Amino acid sequence: MAATGETATGVDPITIEVLRSAFTAICNEMALTVAKTAYSTPVNEGHDFATGLYDRHGNLVAQGEFDLPAFVGLTLLTVPEVMRAIGPENIQPDDIYMINDPYVATTHCNDIHFIKPIFHDGTLVGFSSSTAHWSDVGGVAPGSLNTAARSHYEEGMRIPGITLYKRGQLNQDVVSLLLVNMRQSWERLGDLNAQVAAIKVGDQRIQGLIEKHGRAAVLATMSEVQDHSERLARASFRSLPDGVYEAEDKVDQDQYTGEPKTIRLTLTIEDDHAIFDYTGSDGPAESGINGTIAGTTSGVFIAMASILPPMPMNAGVMRAIAIKARQGSIVWAKPPVAVSVMTITVMDCVIGSATLALGHALPARAVGMAGSILNSTYAGDDNRPTFDAPFINYTWAFGGMGGTQTHDGPNCTAPPFGASGSTIPSELQERRYPVLYNRCNLLPDSGGPGTFRGGLALNTIMEFPFEQVGGTGLSTLGNREKFGPPGIFGGLAGQVARLSLNDGTESERHLGTTSTNAPVQRGEVLTFRTNGGGGYGDPLERDPQLVLEDLKDGYATIAGSREQYGVVVKAIDPRTLRYEIDEGATAVLRAALRTARSQA
């Protein structure tokens, strides 16, 4: 540091920190703008959105504290792709661009990105962006999430990088073209306006920072915060043992072949650099589960944020790694293969494999894999007297997080790619849509067994009690119905997911996680059972007192305690939660289980 107190950037460290914090605050304000003004329930209540600030080269500088991680990671590629599509020479003040093309820069067609260049006195200084999941973008299935699709033509509108506003003038023809191809167009327009308002806020706030601190200081800080993150990332890798770490995770099945798809990672750590090599992953699926390169990049980004020591996650982090993949494989789709369900399938498994591999390199921060999200989209005509209108509802349920070296996983929590998402209140859904929630409860024994178990799964029961449901189409979306979230260091997988109609009755129909436009009749009941998280460490090493506490809390059963942990518990008076561990029987059972395991 120079004697003046300035850094190599020419800006003093206090100003750099003030501006770095301001960048995050701006993203938070943009996110709040979306949350308060968007029309659709998944966006304004579920927080299925993200915002970001970028430098003039399109590199991610800052993200908000409420941003969906899946979006923040993939926008590492989105803004540079828009710059390429528009052409740097054509970028003008007060322009606004949009894109959802999954094959070059995003996840699936539902995730719409709006990007605004920020100019000061005619000079480009950066970009603001807003991303949100629109509840419908056309296609065969209401909601546009179509596991049965064989190509993107069945999944909705694919939008390349285009200009929505040119020098502040809205291209109404573009808006009209979009809305006429999308269901519930009034809701889509409301979300569009919310996102445009948000990125305008980002522009205004950067202008304010420039007026106060000067353009040179703002530009220099945008570079410095990325350089700082790069240094932290390299220091993290340098602290890990050099070596090769392998891991894999599985998508349940290709809907048409019934075969699972394996995502294979070879992680190589060399000094201050890491290579995430996914070239060994399977080829493409025939159904809509294929991943995109932006989604794969985002998955690695999210895993690094989850496992490595804390650091500001921006483009600088990515300079310390390389990602390898085969174009045309399950992790890098080529058009026109279908991709609409890639987030909760391939991206989630990219995160799983990267999380497990990094955890083996850094056991103190390792974690069992989190349960996936189970989604459903249902649509029809709401004939309740005060509504009498078509509707689309996109909703979800969370599973358990993985166990760690020191703690059990949290229960029914969003997985890493959706960490900032929220459960949409059942009362609100019952008000807005013709559905009734009968139950929401934790499932005992559902967390992956381990020295520290995974978090518990959620059991949700929804009823369709109104006349309109005769025309309702129900699509279910998810993964980990066959392969539970993996554990680590001897921890076992969490409970698998299940989605069914009329569960436990003569008319039961197992929908699975890959149904599209399934008919639903009045009075039928949908049951979601999500995943428990993966466990950490040998279950037979779990403290019996922790097993006993789980039993008292309703997190475990006597049978589950015996089968999963070898802990024998006597029920003295269950009504008053009086239980007692039979220490002798426990010691004998655990010894027998260890012997059987060694001989298997």
Side-chain angles (χ1 to χ4, degrees), residues 240-404:
L240 302 179
D242 282 0
V244 176
Y245 304 88
E246 295 184 346
E248 65 177 43
D249 204 350
K250 291 182 181 294
V251 180
D252 282 340
Q253 64 179 14
D254 181 335
Q255 186 167 344
Y256 289 105
T257 67
E259 297 177 349
K261 288 292 184 178
T262 303
I263 284 74
R264 298 180 182 88
L265 169 64
T266 299
L267 168 63
T268 302
I269 296 176
E270 299 174 340
D271 190 31
D272 65 351
H273 183 72
I275 301 169
F276 292 81
D277 188 343
Y278 283 97
T279 56
S281 298
D282 284 354
E286 295 182 29
S287 58
I289 64 174
N290 295 283
T292 66
I293 188 58
T296 296
T297 301
S298 188
V300 171
F301 187 81
I302 292 164
M304 290 172 62
S306 302
I307 299 298
L308 296 181
M311 66 188 73
M313 296 300 292
N314 55 45
V317 170
M318 304 304 288
R319 300 175 194 160
I321 72 169
I323 298 175
K324 295 182 178 181
R326 287 184 296 114
Q327 191 170 11
S329 70
I330 190 75
V331 298
W332 188 351
K334 293 175 62 177
V337 300
V339 298
S340 61
V341 198
M342 58 83 60
T343 308
I344 52 179
T345 54
V346 170
M347 180 193 280
D348 190 44
C349 290
V350 167
I351 297 169
S353 58
T355 298
L356 294 172
L358 286 168
H360 281 287
L362 186 57
R365 296 184 62 87
V367 60
M369 189 54 198
S372 188
I373 294 176
L374 285 187
N375 297 316
S376 74
T377 301
Y378 52 98
D381 292 317
D382 187 351
N383 292 332
R384 291 178 294 174
T386 56
F387 290 84
D388 193 25
F391 75 95
I392 298 173
N393 187 30
Y394 169 55
T395 188
W396 51 76
F398 297 143
M401 290 291 286
T404 72

Side-chain angles (χ1 to χ4, degrees), residues 414-502:
F417 70 83
S420 61
S422 299
T423 299
I424 301 172
S426 56
E427 297 85 357
L428 180 66
Q429 293 189 63
E430 291 174 341
R431 173 69 180 86
R432 292 185 178 177
Y433 309 107
V435 65
L436 182 66
Y437 278 77
N438 293 340
R439 178 181 296 176
C440 253
N441 64 278
L442 296 175
L443 286 170
D445 299 330
S446 59
T451 307
F452 289 97
R453 60 162 174 78
L456 269 60
L458 186 66
N459 182 52
T460 303
I461 300 178
M462 302 162 51
E463 183 178 349
F464 302 94
F466 301 103
E467 283 290 349
Q468 107 297 324
V469 298
T472 291
L474 173 67
S475 298
T476 59
L477 317 154
N479 190 35
R480 304 195 186 281
E481 183 180 22
K482 295 182 177 180
F483 308 101
I488 193 168
F489 296 129
L492 304 183
Q495 171 185 276
V496 297
R498 180 175 172 81
L499 275 159
S500 61
L501 277 170
N502 311 317

Side-chain angles (χ1 to χ4, degrees), residues 71 124 152 231 249 401 537 551 557:
F71 294 156
L124 179 65
H152 73 79
R231 292 192 294 270
D249 204 350
M401 290 291 286
L551 187 62
T557 64

Side-chain angles (χ1 to χ4, degrees), residues 162-164 170-181:
I162 61 173
T163 302
L164 182 66
L170 173 66
N171 188 333
Q172 186 60 50
D173 290 343
V174 170
V175 176
S176 298
L177 176 64
L178 294 174
L179 298 184
V180 78
N181 283 285

